Amino acid sequence: MEHRTAQFISALRASGVRISLAESEDAFLAVKRMGVQDRERFRLTLRTTLIKDARDLAVFDRLFPLFFRSDEPPPMQNAAASLTPQEARRLAEALRQFTQRLQEMIENLLQGKPLSPQELAELSSLMNQNMQLDLRDQNWLTRQMEQWMQFPELRQAIQELLKKLEEMGFNRRKVDELRRALQNNLNAWQQQIRRQAGESILQRMAENPRQPPMEGLLQRPFQMISPEEMRQLRREVRRLAAALRTRLALRMRRAKAGQLDSKATLRNSLKYGHVPLELRFRDHILKPKLVVICDISTSMRYCSELMLSLLYAIQDQISHTYAFTFINRLAYISPEFAHLPPEQAIEKVLERMPPGYYNTDLGRALEDFSREYLHTLDSRTTLIVVGDGRNNYNNPRVDLLQQFARRARTLIWLNPEPVWLWGSGDSDMRQYAPICQRIFQVSNLAQLAQAVDQMLLHD
């Protein structure tokens, strides 16, 4: 309990609560005197000794139940116990249509089994160890954990199972009972996962020192950025672009000392009576030519905006950039960047393609590109796709991407999702991945800038 209390104090400090060493010692002494058997008394003891400012009470009340919670899982219903032998056989038959993993999950839900400590610990182990998180990210991390647990596929499987049971002659009242029990138990699993997400974040906050504000913001996942933080990142892009531009220019100058150009040397020697007094060298590194296709649906908008801002801020070091965006249709956006500063150009593009009810369809965007802009790809072109590879179960048109890869010099994909989410739900990334020469995970601005650095500086 002392170790847990020390972690709790560290998490309070990481959340901005000022606690001195003397106040920490007072808390340990008070807990030793008052005991920990009575949970409410224990809570009040810590709050009295650690919190000196009323504004910090909300932080304390939010963190305490995550650190000092009951180990009892939420209540669940055993729906399988009420089935007759004949119903149980029909249920087993209906479950055979699903994968083994989904069968096991549905059976556990029907029997009212909570997630085991091992399963919860495995979810926490999937967290990126370099990612800076705080409690504002609990909902995001919960959704990430649910995706890893295949919750979208599980919900769909439950609906298919109930429909199958009705077709097999199950009593409608029994089907409704199973539906309510499965939903109740699934909600209980979600509570467990949310609690685990909060505890994992607090553990990280307690163990890792807090980074400087901007450094932490650079590491912050795009999905968790607030509008104010996005304004800060837009300013930071200018600084990163200036550094990249300087390095690219230096790289181009060094490339001047490339291979000896014998033809140019001979031509130049004519004015010296065919004596090669001045050597000429061939530039063995040319400015890159880029074609960029960016997903600007709601989940990808910040990532794509910052990527385009970076590229057009260093445009003087790039031969040419053809930029495209898509949600469900492709749009050519280079003209906006030719006449406007990057930030204003981005605003114009987003006005043309606002978020709406339509769903992401990369396959259709690839069809548009093949029909109208295939001429932009040649042996000098680097094709860059920025997206999460999710198509809402539309045709991914892998054949078209293969065609583009054959025409282009290099195909690079920038994806904010971790590898373990590829192939889950509507993700077609596992089909696209083998076609790409390089794939970068770019879940934050630091990773995005590093990817651009490697693409352009280490080609």
Side-chain angles (χ1 to χ4, degrees), residues 51-302:
I51 303 301
K52 300 296 186 291
D53 190 329
R55 290 173 296 184
D56 296 329
L57 288 174
V59 177
F60 179 94
D61 291 339
R62 188 168 65 249
L63 298 190
F64 182 85
L66 292 172
F67 267 95
F68 306 102
R69 57 176 175 79
S70 169
D71 289 330
E72 291 295 323
M76 301 180 69
Q77 303 175 22
N78 185 353
S82 63
L83 297 177
T84 66
Q86 182 182 11
E87 289 172 336
R89 285 193 297 271
R90 289 182 179 177
L91 176 61
E93 181 182 346
L95 283 172
R96 292 195 188 100
Q97 64 181 305
F98 305 112
T99 64
Q100 183 177 355
R101 171 62 175 163
L102 287 175
Q103 287 183 42
E104 292 174 354
M105 294 177 72
I106 295 175
E107 288 173 356
N108 288 340
L109 281 175
L110 287 168
Q111 296 170 18
K113 292 182 179 179
L115 296 175
S116 67
Q118 292 78 13
E119 289 175 310
L120 295 172
E122 186 176 355
L123 287 175
S124 295
S125 69
L126 294 169
M127 291 175 61
N128 185 336
Q129 298 303 312
N130 298 320
M131 189 180 295
Q132 294 296 310
L133 301 174
D134 59 39
L135 283 179
R136 292 175 299 175
D137 309 322
Q138 185 176 6
N139 290 336
W140 174 83
L141 184 57
T142 299
R143 290 193 298 272
Q144 294 292 99
M145 289 180 169
E146 288 179 359
Q147 282 194 337
W148 187 87
M149 288 285 293
Q150 298 183 341
F151 268 37
E153 293 87 340
L154 178 60
R155 291 190 182 94
Q156 183 178 354
I158 289 174
Q159 294 304 317
E160 293 176 4
L161 173 66
L162 296 173
K163 182 178 179 180
K164 181 69 173 179
L165 292 177
E166 288 183 350
E167 293 174 354
M168 295 173 68
F170 251 68
N171 182 281
R172 184 177 295 275
R173 181 178 58 81
K174 178 64 70 174
V175 171
D176 289 340
E177 288 178 3
L178 290 175
R179 179 181 287 108
R180 287 192 295 270
L182 286 168
Q183 185 59 54
N184 174 78
N185 293 346
L186 188 59
N187 291 341
W189 277 9
Q190 289 179 297
Q191 292 180 44
Q192 282 187 277
I193 291 174
R194 176 175 174 77
R195 194 163 61 183
Q196 183 70 21
E199 186 170 329
S200 300
I201 291 172
L202 291 173
Q203 186 82 11
R204 181 76 58 82
M205 292 170 63
E207 294 175 354
N208 298 336
R210 204 174 190 184
Q211 288 188 329
M214 183 49 68
E215 184 65 24
L217 190 54
L218 290 176
Q219 300 286 344
R220 191 166 181 77
F222 292 124
Q223 301 98 318
M224 300 184 293
I225 292 174
S226 67
E228 175 56 35
E229 290 170 334
M230 186 60 184
R231 283 191 284 272
Q232 296 179 51
L233 288 182
R234 290 188 183 106
R235 293 192 293 270
E236 187 65 13
V237 161
R238 291 194 289 269
R239 184 189 68 79
L240 293 172
L244 282 172
R245 186 188 300 110
T246 300
R247 295 175 63 189
L248 272 169
L250 179 61
R251 176 178 182 253
M252 294 299 175
R253 284 198 297 271
R254 287 174 176 171
K256 299 297 182 182
Q259 293 180 326
L260 178 67
D261 190 334
S262 57
K263 292 183 179 180
T265 300
L266 289 174
R267 283 196 301 270
N268 188 64
S269 69
L270 293 176
K271 60 184 177 182
Y272 300 112
H274 298 284
V275 178
L277 296 180
E278 294 182 9
L279 301 181
R280 291 288 185 264
F281 294 89
R282 183 183 299 112
D283 295 350
H284 66 270
I285 296 180
L286 300 174
K287 286 185 177 181
K289 175 185 173 185
L290 305 180
V291 171
V292 188
I293 302 176
C294 294
D295 180 355
I296 59 168
S297 59
T298 303
S299 60
M300 285 295 305
R301 182 148 294 192
Y302 283 164

Side-chain angles (χ1 to χ4, degrees), residues 387-391 413-415 417 421-423 426-434 436 439:
D388 54 16
R390 295 189 175 274
N391 279 319
W413 196 297
L414 306 185
N415 191 330
E417 288 194 344
L421 281 178
W422 295 2
D426 63 339
S427 172
D428 293 315
M429 196 59 206
R430 292 201 182 279
Q431 298 183 60
Y432 292 133
C436 305
I439 299 178

